[in-house]
């Protein structure tokens, strides 16, 4: 099967490059071995210092509502983190003292939202706090298997009953000028978070839960649907198992499901993510790239791979494939002329793009520009 | 040195990193709180079951074996296989009469066919449904698949001389559905393959693939069928014949469930088993041509059945349909219709089954196509019953769009 470009990996970077190329009239296929890091997404596109116009265009065409303002957001453990471009659900404040008094609302039986940590954190910044738990008969059935009372299951119920829940919350409000809710709203119906803000007479702050991330899952679905309406071919649950290369260029790749139907293309994009998504892997001796066995930048000294202090930034997260200016990776120092590496697989090897999802987006645009300009 | 990096666990269960992704995609977990979900029933539960079979729970029967968890898992864990394998290994309760009847698609078809008009009449009667509901716990809201009076096998026998005239030949694993309920799909396939210059023959001694037996606690019977099918398929492969199929579930069973769940070695035939859509696509990309009617018009919404999604071959059906001039194509969102073979027929599952399908039915109504395209026979029953829209197999759509040969 022949395409103009074949993209390996269907996470944020793969989708952004696929959408951009389809919009430019190119035919593309995305092969993705499973779901991706968007399922753990907080809702803030980190390491983006601006909001590129063409990104905003893609978001608006896919129905992803975002807003841009510099400030901080409330994290799941009650701390604050600098943020700018974020999904509409996420509130950004100029500084952590965003309210006088807050009501933190949790749902009875739900263990994946840390309301007391949040309250503790807020009190440290001088914000008064009250934690309330509401018991909803519509959620009682989920409590039959408590370990499975997860964000997504709750969100499916909330899509139906959020109005009633908000009425109850309104009645519980006393003198608070803000409420904090778990991010379990607007899985299918994206208008829900904004409508909640309209009906609650206080600031509404949605805060992260344990995975899966409801806003992340929704954003992934929206981008994938948009990619498919543009005519893109998304091969979900398939995996590139072999690549046929010759003379520093990739001719075709083989997938587990399609077997002898090799995917041929003029250009290939490698967007297989980091260790988490198995784009990179490690043995006790080495760190390697899993599809092409590309050259990887990492420390020879294994003890330097990680910091024994669990909470510190871990050095292995900086490891990534080596690339030239155009994001062409290399194997045994020979550059692949029609292959581009984007997203988390770069680790921190290309600091100009930044890491995290901002880096995934900017590196995707960079590779797309190179492909469209024929370089 | 044998260290952890070299160990491979059964169905890859040790690869699970507890990311919870599969729990967001399991259709049953979204609507049935009695089901522990793929993570708990699969890799988490397996750890416990290995310690002590006491931890096996019969709630695993709620798994539809749709494989959506496997498609979504970023770590390559064979979640659904783990669950079905655990049911085979630990569930020693005897299957109910109802489950045995539903699982014996082959037997039921053979018994019903000579009386097709009567059986069809009877199973659509309100009173029969009430009785089935009360005695066998087959939900009364279900519409029954119709039995066809004349099987596909006998039809193809009668045409075997014309078929053998073609230089290129394939063997067709038609499955129970085409033989007993819907011979037209088999005839459509013959029409399309003939247009490509390929003749179609029967396998010698094809049996029901046995998937319904596997999921209804009759794996020993399934293994017997598998052995017979392996014999039939091997004979075809010996003769240098490729094997084509039109049922996605039979295909997945023959190719993947036999080795993964039944421990039947199919390596000799596996690569020769091809969905017809993939086979046709292959012929066309090698230069063969199909000629379509210039006046053909059809608005199609395509639903990729779960097992086709698992096979990863929906792309062939899609590309073929997009090739037809005058066909307006919409790809429906990836979702389960809720029927999952015999699952949705059971009274205890009916409500869950309809709830699972609801978003898909809603989207179909929104698109409002002339026809819903789908490669799976049980999805066809479910979608037709629940939406009123006509469902056609992509091969039948191709056949309908073909220009007359003469
Ligand atoms: C737990 C977690 C939380 C995060 N939270 C945030 C956040 O809140 N904000 C933020 O800005 N950034 C966050 N990030 C950073 C995140 O990595 C990036 O934001 C971005 O989503 C990465 O996208 P990607 O497309 O490069 O890779 P991924 O999203 O990892 O996608 C890679 C895809 O490639 C597939 N793949 C791998 N190998 C193959 C193969 N051989 N064949 C086919 N497919 C293959 C994988 O299955 C996967 O689907 C988080 C990362 C993680 C791991
Ligand atoms: S096979 Fe389907 S029903 Fe069973 S656990 Fe997986 S996703 Fe759920
Ligand atoms: S998706 Fe895969 S890795 Fe994640 S919890 Fe499920 S089985 Fe485990």
């Amino acid at each position: 099967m022949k395409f103009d470009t074949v993209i390996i990996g269907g996470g944020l970077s793969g989708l952004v490059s696929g959408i951009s190329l389809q919009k430019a009239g190119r035919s593309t296929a995305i092969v993705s071995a499973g779901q991706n890091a968007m399922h753990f997404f907080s809702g803030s596109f980190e390491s983006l210092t601006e909001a590129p116009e063409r990104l905003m265009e893609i978001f608006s065409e896919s129905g992803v509502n975002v807003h841009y303002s510099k400030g901080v957001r409330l994290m799941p453990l009650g701390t604050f983190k600098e943020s700018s471009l974020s999904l509409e659900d996420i509130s950004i404040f100029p500084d952590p003292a965003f309210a006088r008094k807050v009501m933190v609302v949790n749902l009875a039986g739900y263990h994946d939202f840390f309301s007391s940590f949040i309250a503790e954190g807020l009190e440290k910044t001088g914000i008064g706090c009250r934690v309330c738990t509401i018991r909803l008969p519509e959620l009682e059935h989920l409590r039959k298997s408590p370990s499975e009372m997860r964000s997504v299951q709750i969100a499916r119920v909330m899509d139906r009953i959020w109005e009633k829940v908000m009425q109850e919350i309104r009645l519980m409000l006393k003198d608070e000028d803000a409420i904090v809710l778990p991010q379990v709203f607007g899985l299918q119906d994206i208008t829900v978070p904004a409508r909640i803000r309209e009906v609650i007479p206080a600031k509404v702050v949605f805060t992260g839960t344990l995975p899966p991330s409801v806003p992340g899952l929704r954003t992934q679905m929206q981008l994938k649907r948009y990619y498919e309406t543009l005519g893109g071919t998304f091969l979900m649950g398939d995996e590139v198992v072999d690549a046929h290369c010759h003379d520093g260029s990739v001719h075709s790749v083989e997938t587990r499901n399609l077997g002898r139907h090799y995917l041929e293309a003029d250009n290939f994009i490698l967007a297989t993510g980091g260790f988490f998504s198995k784009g990179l892997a490690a043995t006790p001796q080495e760190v390697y790239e899993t599809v092409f066995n590309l050259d990887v930048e990492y420390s020879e000294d294994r003890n330097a791979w990680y910091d024994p202090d669990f909470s510190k930034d871990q050095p292995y997260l900086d490891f990534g494939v080596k690339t030239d200016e155009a994001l062409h990776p290399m194997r045994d120092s020979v550059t692949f002329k029609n292959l581009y590496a984007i997203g988390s697989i770069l680790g921190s090897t290309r600091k100009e793009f930044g890491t995290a999802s901002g880096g995934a987006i900017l590196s995707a645009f960079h590779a797309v520009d190179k492909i469209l300009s024929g370089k | 040195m044998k260290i952890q990096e070299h160990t491979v666990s059964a169905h890859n269960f040790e690869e699970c990193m507890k990311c919870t992704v599969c729990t967001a995609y399991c259709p049953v977990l979204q609507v049935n709180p009695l089901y522990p979900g793929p993570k708990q029933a699969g890799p988490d539960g397996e750890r416990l079951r290995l310690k002590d079979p006491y931890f096996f729970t019969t709630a695993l029967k709620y798994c539809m074996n749709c494989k959506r968890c496997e498609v979504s898992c970023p770590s390559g864990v064979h979640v659904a296989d783990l669950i079905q394998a655990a049911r085979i290994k630990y569930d020693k309760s005897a299957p109910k009469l109802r489950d045995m009847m539903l699982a014996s698609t082959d037997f039921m078809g053979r018994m019903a066919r000579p009386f097709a008009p009567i059986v069809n009449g009877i199973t659509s009667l309100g009173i029969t449904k009430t009785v089935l509901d009360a005695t066998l716990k087959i939900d009364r809201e279900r519409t029954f698949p119709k039995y066809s009076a004349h099987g596909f096998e006998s039809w193809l026998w009668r045409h075997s001389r014309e078929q053998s005239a073609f230089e290129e030949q394939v063997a067709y694993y038609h499955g129970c559905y085409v033989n007993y309920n819907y011979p037209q799909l088999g005839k459509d396939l013959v029409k399309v393959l003939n247009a490509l210059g390929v003749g179609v023959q029967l396998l010698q001694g094809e049996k029901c693939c046995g998937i319904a037996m596997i999921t209804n606690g009759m794996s020993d019977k399934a293994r017997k069928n598998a052995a017979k099918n392996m014999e039939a398929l091997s004979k075809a492969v010996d003769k240098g014949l490729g094997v084509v199929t039109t049922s996605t579930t039979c295909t997945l069973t023959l190719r993947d469930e036999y080795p993964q769940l039944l421990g039947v070695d199919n390596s000799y035939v596996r690569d020769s088993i091809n969905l017809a859509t993939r086979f046709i696509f292959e012929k066309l990309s090698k230069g063969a041509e199909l000629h379509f009617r210039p006046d053909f018009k059809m608005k199609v919404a395509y639903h990729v059945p779960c097992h086709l999604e698992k096979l990863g071959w929906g792309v062939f059906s899609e590309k073929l349909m997009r090739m037809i001039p005058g066909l307006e194509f919409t790809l429906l969102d990836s979702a389960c219709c809720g029927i999952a073979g015999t699952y949705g027929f059971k009274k205890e599952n009916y409500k869950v089954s309809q709830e699972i399908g609801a978003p898909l039915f809603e989207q179909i109504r929104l698109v409002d196509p002339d026809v819903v395209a789908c490669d799976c026979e049980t999805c066809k029953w479910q979608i037709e019953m629940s939406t009123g829209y006509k469902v056609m197999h992509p091969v039948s759509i191709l056949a309908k769009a073909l220009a007359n040969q003469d």
Side-chain angles (χ1 to χ4, degrees), chain A residues 1 3 32-36 39-40 141-145 147-148 150 152-153 156 160 211-212 217 220-221 224-225 228 231-233 235-238 256-261 276-278 282-285, chain B residues 1 3 5 15 17 19-21 23-25 29-31 33-37 39-40 70-75 255 271 274 278 281-282 285 309-313 315-316 318-319 322 331-334 363:
Chain A
M1 228 176 272
F3 297 89
S32 197
Q35 295 291 359
N36 48 67
H39 292 64
F40 313 95
H141 70 281
L142 290 179
R143 299 183 64 180
K144 284 185 192 150
S145 41
S147 67
E148 294 307 310
R150 292 183 207 278
V152 173
Q153 275 73 35
R156 280 182 217 268
R160 288 200 317 270
L217 198 102
Q220 151 78 23
M221 288 194 293
K224 174 170 178 270
R225 184 182 296 153
E228 287 179 332
T233 299
L235 302 167
M236 188 45 145
D238 201 356
R256 189 186 53 224
N257 287 340
L258 298 181
R260 59 183 183 266
H261 287 271
F276 179 83
S277 291
K278 296 195 161 41
T283 67
Q285 292 80 33
Chain B
M1 189 172 50
I3 47 174
E5 63 169 309
E15 288 295 307
M17 57 172 161
C19 70
T20 72
V21 161
T23 66
Y25 290 90
L29 189 58
Q30 315 311 326
V31 291
L34 297 176
Y35 182 52
K39 176 171 173 284
Q40 187 64 37
E70 294 186 5
V71 172
S72 72
C73 173
S75 306
R255 286 175 55 98
D271 285 346
N274 231 338
R278 181 176 161 156
F281 180 89
E282 216 159 276
S285 46
E309 202 145 312
K310 171 64 187 164
L311 284 167
W313 295 351
V315 61
F316 297 114
E318 175 180 344
K319 299 261 176 234
R322 282 187 190 271
L331 182 65
L332 294 167
D333 286 349
S334 165
Q363 201 193 5

Side-chain angles (χ1 to χ4, degrees), chain A residues 25-99:
Chain A
R26 302 298 170 93
S27 76
T28 66
I30 296 180
V31 191
S32 197
Q35 295 291 359
N36 48 67
M38 282 305 273
H39 292 64
F40 313 95
F41 185 48
S42 60
S44 276
F45 296 90
E46 284 161 23
S47 71
L48 266 187
T49 49
E50 51 180 23
E53 202 170 307
R54 57 183 174 174
L55 176 64
M56 301 307 264
E57 200 178 286
I58 289 177
F59 281 154
S60 108
E61 286 159 357
S62 335
V64 176
N65 298 333
V66 292
H67 66 115
Y68 182 87
S69 64
K70 281 201 167 116
V72 293
R73 71 177 195 273
L74 177 62
M75 301 291 286
L77 296 182
T79 54
F80 289 86
K81 192 165 181 181
E82 268 181 40
S83 307
S84 47
L85 185 69
S86 301
L87 296 178
E88 189 190 45
D89 323 33
I90 308 301
S91 306
I92 310 273
F93 317 110
D95 70 273
F98 68 91

